[in-house]
Amino acid sequence: MRNNRVALLDRLELLLIAAIDIIFLTSIGNYMNYRQATLGEWFYLWIMTALALYLLGLYTIAMVDRKLSQQEMESEPLFLVFGCIIGLLSGYLVTYFYSSMPTLPHKLDWPLGVLLSFWLSILGIYVAGKFKRSKSTSNLIVSLFRILIPSAIALTFILVNNNGFPGVAAPAEVRQQWAYKEFWNYGGVVDSIKNCQPIIQRVGSVKFVAPTQGPNNVTFEPGSSGHSGEFTLEVVGDQGIGVAYSYFHIGTFVSNVRFTYQKRTEELSCRR
């Protein structure tokens, strides 16, 4: 019976991990979109999203293991999560110490620091798993933390996703006004679309140019030429509506677009 339960749990864990991977890949397009940020800010958003999903997966697997276990003494899911967090923080502190000390002969790069934090989190989980807790006992503090941990993870997702975008269902005028505030030189994007003759020939006089479903992000570094990004824009004209996709580098304007109108996609040039 125990072997059957372990085999079942292993399959559940694999399915859960696969599901988390899918959620993570799809969340990249949702959480890391509709915003303008530096490379450092993009890295921070990625780390926060990955960390929240990592803790969520660990907590869920631990809870499933505890529910399916027939043993009276079992590892406490909260201990595993706390061990994981302590390992992650230890890796971060080590990386920060080495990166901020110019007198050290070798610096620890942040990608290696992330890898170190990951392995230390596994070590923390292993150590925390040594502390057993009776399944039949509980107290107010443990119950409170069991509520707070999922709530904290959910709050992390909310904060990461807080980009102010009104949503693709909002009126085009509202989304365009939001884009003016979020993206530098968005007026150049609107002007280039409004004056693009191939687009005008299809949708007529352009009224609104607004971000819609798809990639809408800008990466920039102050004082450098790394200003780049991509837009997926709903173009509302007096004769029809189309969708224009454009990737740009340095200049925030549209020169070449992949334009979809009446279920037909074309490559158009908006060069004057």
Side-chain angles (χ1 to χ4, degrees):
M1 181 64 69
R2 173 66 178 175
N3 292 335
N4 291 336
R5 188 188 69 81
V6 171
L8 175 62
L9 181 59
D10 288 341
R11 284 158 178 75
L12 288 174
E13 289 178 358
L14 289 174
L15 289 174
L16 182 60
I17 292 172
I20 290 173
D21 288 340
I22 294 173
I23 294 172
F24 176 74
L25 291 175
T26 56
S27 70
I28 293 298
N30 295 325
Y31 291 98
M32 302 184 71
N33 202 13
Y34 302 110
R35 68 180 77 226
Q36 176 174 275
T38 65
L39 288 174
E41 290 170 339
W42 286 123
F43 180 74
Y44 170 78
L45 289 170
W46 185 88
I47 286 296
M48 291 297 294
T49 304
L51 175 61
L53 287 169
Y54 182 43
L55 292 177
L56 177 61
L58 170 64
Y59 185 75
T60 305
I61 290 174
M63 288 298 293
V64 170
D65 188 22
R66 185 174 176 82
K67 292 296 183 181
L68 294 180
S69 175
Q70 297 179 358
Q71 294 183 351
E72 180 63 22
M73 299 296 292
E74 206 33 275
S75 298
E76 171 58 48
L78 292 177
F79 294 165
L80 301 182
V81 172
F82 287 145
C84 176
I85 293 175
I86 291 173
L88 291 170
L89 289 176
S90 299
Y92 170 80
L93 291 175
V94 171
T95 305
Y96 179 80
F97 173 76
Y98 273 90
S99 63
S100 61
M101 295 295 290
T103 57
L104 293 177
H106 300 288
K107 287 195 174 184
L108 185 62
D109 294 331
W110 280 104
L112 292 177
V114 172
L115 185 61
L116 174 64
S117 298
F118 174 72
W119 285 113
L120 287 178
S121 70
I122 294 178
L123 178 60
I125 294 170
Y126 174 77
V127 174
K130 299 295 184 179
F131 296 92
K132 303 295 184 179
R133 193 174 190 281
S134 176
K135 293 183 63 176
S136 61
T137 61
S138 182
N139 56 55
L140 180 61
I141 295 178
V142 172
S143 300
L144 180 62
F145 273 107
R146 284 180 178 170
I147 298 174
L148 289 179
I149 286 181
S151 300
I153 295 174
L155 180 61
T156 300
F157 283 129
I158 293 173
L159 292 176
V160 170
N161 194 39
N162 185 24
N163 53 23
F165 182 61
V168 296
E173 182 178 7
V174 173
R175 286 180 277 128
Q176 178 177 284
Q177 290 301 319
W178 171 85
Y180 272 119
K181 298 177 182 179
E182 177 67 19
F183 301 114
W184 290 354
N185 302 325
Y186 189 74
V189 175
V190 175
D191 291 341
S192 56
I193 290 289
K194 284 186 174 181
N195 292 295
C196 182
Q197 290 302 315
I199 291 179
I200 294 174
Q201 292 171 5
R202 288 157 178 79
V203 302
S205 179
V206 177
K207 297 181 178 180
F208 302 110
V209 180
T212 186
Q213 183 69 42
N216 287 279
N217 54 78
V218 175
T219 301
F220 73 97
E221 287 297 326
S224 71
S225 60
H227 193 78
S228 62
E230 53 187 338
F231 285 129
T232 307
L233 306 170
E234 182 181 34
V235 182
V236 181
D238 57 6
Q239 298 178 11
I241 299 175
V243 176
Y245 170 82
S246 176
Y247 174 82
F248 62 88
H249 179 64
I250 301 179
T252 313
F253 60 89
V254 173
S255 57
N256 296 291
V257 301
R258 187 169 67 240
F259 194 73
T260 301
Y261 179 65
Q262 293 182 347
K263 298 182 179 181
R264 181 184 178 186
T265 301
E266 306 171 273
E267 297 290 336
L268 304 180
S269 175
C270 294
R271 298 178 186 272
R272 296 182 182 180

